[in-house]
């Protein structure tokens, strides 16, 4: 009893301090400020993130209750779909492209390979509307959530508003995706000043990367986020041209971040490269880099430090 009485003030104090420990989307200095920190309409809290996670993992959002976001974006591989060139959508129908990793998206200026979606919140419309993914209108999903007492309660808890709107729905998923930050790789420790975090072999790879790759894969996310073509042989895909109608943009894509790349195989928009070895061999020949096998190994060793 005495022990409990001693514990009580500590518990009360903990309760009082809890609200100030609300999560914040942030990263190390070298990553700069995130572009998205939750939007200015609704506060990002642990409650909105948890609700977004519940929605992200819920197959009942799809037309036949078979597919959730997590079906194609798997937590254990930076939310990519490892081993699948194309993911399986409704009735096993393959997706058009290889599923992207969802990694530090709060630092990305736009989304999807052709670069057509400007905000993390709006990106939720894409898979919901896709007839091979969720096969639904976003508003219909929201209408059915309003008929679900458990979700009514969860939205009320998270946003202090029990009427579930399209905006609340996409905000919750947006908050969850923004919370998927990762700055724990050996390369991150290296960038933070721990020079022993990389071996000499890996540092040699980093040096080669800085010569041959950073024109496109620069910065803390390993992408300049320009839309470009790397000219590697892949399946035909109009890419950016889908938006601009300009033939010059055919085959140009959002330059992908390389964070976690060891786990997010296979590679490229069509998933046609099974391994980093095949990617590096293709860059070596297409871009005429003239790298030796040892240098290719160094580059690969560096890429493996990104997770
Ligand atoms: C059936 C598989 C599948 C499902 C289900 C799915 N996705 Fe995706 N996702 C993909 C594919 C494939 C891409 C790459 C598409 C492209 O770039 O055109 C992608 C890309 C994305 C991107 C863009 C990432 C970037 O770097 O630009 C976001 C964001 C995203 N998905 C979020 C979601 C959310 C949220 C859900 C659930 C509402 C979801 N996805 C459900 C397959 C799927
Ligand atoms: C001219 C810009 C450019 C240069 C230079 C470049 N890349 Fe890329 N990289 C891209 C683009 C664009 C893609 C996406 C292509 C696609 O999806 O078909 C890509 C994709 C990749 C991928 C696959 C990513 C994924 O998630 O599927 C890897 C790995 C990669 N690059 C590594 C490298 C390495 C290593 C170098 C240096 C040897 C390099 N890149 C140089 C633009 C470039």
């Amino acid at each position: 009893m005495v022990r409990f009485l001693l514990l009580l003030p500590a518990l009360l104090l903990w309760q009082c301090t809890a609200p100030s420990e609300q999560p914040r989307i942030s990263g190390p200095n070298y990553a700069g400020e995130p572009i998205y920190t939750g939007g200015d309409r609704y506060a990002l809290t642990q409650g909105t993130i948890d609700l977004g996670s519940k929605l992200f993992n819920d197959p009942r959002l799809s037309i036949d209750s078979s597919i959730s976001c997590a079906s194609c974006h798997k937590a254990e591989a930076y939310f990519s779909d490892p081993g699948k060139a194309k993911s399986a959508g409704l009735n096993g129908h393959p997706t058009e492209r290889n599923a992207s990793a969802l990694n530090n998206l709060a630092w990305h200026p736009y989304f999807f390979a052709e670069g057509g979606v400007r905000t993390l919140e709006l990106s939720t419309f894409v898979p919901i509307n896709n007839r091979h993914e969720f096969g639904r209108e976003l508003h219909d999903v929201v209408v059915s959530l309003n008929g679900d007492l458990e979700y009514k309660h969860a939205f009320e808890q998270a946003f202090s508003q029990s009427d579930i709107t399209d905006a609340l729905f996409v905000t919750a998923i947006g908050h969850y995706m923004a919370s998927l930050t990762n700055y724990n790789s050996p390369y991150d420790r290296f960038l933070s000043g721990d020079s022993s975090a990389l071996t000499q072999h890996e540092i040699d790879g980093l040096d080669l990367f800085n010569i041959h790759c950073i024109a496109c894969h620069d910065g803390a996310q390993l992408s300049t986020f320009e839309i470009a073509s790397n000219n590697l042989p892949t399946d035909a895909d109009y890419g950016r041209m889908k938006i601009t109608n300009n033939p010059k943009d055919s085959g140009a894509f959002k330059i992908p971040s390389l964070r976690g790349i060891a786990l997010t195989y296979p590679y490229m928009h069509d998933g046609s490269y099974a391994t980093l070895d095949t990617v590096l061999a293709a860059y070596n020949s297409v871009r005429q880099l003239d790298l030796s096998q040892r240098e290719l190994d160094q580059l690969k060793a560096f890429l493996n430090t990104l997770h």
Side-chain angles (χ1 to χ4, degrees):
M1 182 67 188
V2 175
R3 251 211 235 150
F4 177 72
L5 284 177
L6 284 174
L7 203 63
L8 195 62
L11 274 175
L12 285 174
L13 201 68
W14 177 78
Q15 283 222 320
C16 295
T17 54
S20 64
E21 288 162 16
Q22 286 296 0
R24 208 166 60 80
I25 307 303
S26 65
N29 285 340
Y30 56 80
E33 288 298 315
I35 295 167
Y36 177 76
T37 53
D40 40 23
R41 283 180 78 181
Y42 306 101
L44 177 142
T45 65
Q46 196 54 53
T48 62
I49 292 173
D50 292 347
L51 175 55
S53 165
K54 185 177 159 70
L55 293 164
F56 191 91
N57 287 286
D58 191 346
R60 287 175 303 167
L61 304 190
S62 66
I63 189 86
D64 65 357
S65 297
S66 67
I67 302 271
S68 71
C69 308
S71 308
C72 305
H73 297 289
K74 307 212 168 83
E76 66 273 17
Y78 299 97
F79 296 87
S80 68
D81 200 355
K84 304 244 176 72
K86 309 276 167 78
S87 298
L90 292 170
N91 301 315
H93 197 284
T95 48
E96 255 176 66
R97 293 185 179 137
N98 177 248
S100 319
L102 309 178
N103 217 351
N104 297 342
L105 291 185
W107 282 260
H108 290 217
Y110 63 87
F111 305 94
F112 297 98
E114 58 272 90
V117 179
R118 308 305 300 185
T119 71
L120 208 40
E121 283 126 349
L122 289 179
S123 65
T124 292
F125 279 86
V126 178
I128 301 258
N129 281 340
N130 186 302
R131 68 197 164 97
H132 299 308
E133 296 184 16
F134 284 64
R136 294 183 82 181
E137 292 294 327
L138 186 120
H139 188 65
D140 292 343
V141 174
V142 169
V143 168
S144 26
L145 291 178
N146 269 303
D148 181 318
L149 283 179
E150 194 190 319
Y151 268 117
K152 279 288 234 203
H153 181 68
F155 273 85
E156 167 87 59
Q157 292 280 307
F159 291 104
S160 310
Q161 184 180 321
S162 64
D163 184 27
I164 307 173
T165 60
D166 296 10
L168 287 190
F169 174 74
V170 297
T171 299
I173 298 186
H175 283 187
Y176 172 62
M177 288 197 285
S179 77
L180 305 175
T181 60
N182 199 312
Y183 292 102
N184 299 325
S185 67
Y187 184 52
D188 286 295
R189 290 199 287 285
F190 185 79
L191 289 177
S192 305
D194 174 3
S195 55
S196 70
L198 300 193
T199 64
Q200 190 53 48
H201 187 60
E202 291 158 350
I203 292 174
D204 292 343
L206 170 59
D207 291 341
L208 290 166
F209 188 84
N210 284 336
I211 296 169
H212 300 294
C213 316
I214 55 160
C216 296
H217 297 286
D218 196 12
Q221 307 310 329
L222 293 303
S223 171
T224 60
F225 295 119
E226 273 168 33
I227 305 246
S229 169
N230 59 5
N231 296 315
L232 263 52
T234 51
D235 285 354
D237 183 323
Y238 287 126
R240 180 70 171 174
M241 187 182 143
K242 284 192 178 171
I243 295 179
T244 61
N245 248 338
N246 185 341
K248 269 201 326 219
D249 293 333
S250 180
F253 302 102
K254 173 184 185 181
I255 297 169
S257 162
L258 302 181
R259 285 190 161 271
I261 197 75
L263 299 190
T264 65
Y265 60 96
Y267 304 108
M268 307 305 158
H269 68 272
D270 58 351
S272 59
Y273 288 75
T275 63
L276 285 175
D277 288 317
T278 54
V279 169
L280 292 174
Y283 270 115
N284 201 21
S285 93
V286 170
R287 302 185 70 82
Q288 299 175 335
L289 305 179
D290 215 14
L291 300 173
S292 67
Q293 189 54 51
R294 179 169 169 73
E295 289 171 316
L296 292 173
D297 288 344
Q298 290 166 337
L299 254 180
K300 183 169 77 166
F302 167 67
L303 292 176
N304 281 328
T305 71
L306 300 173
H307 106 95

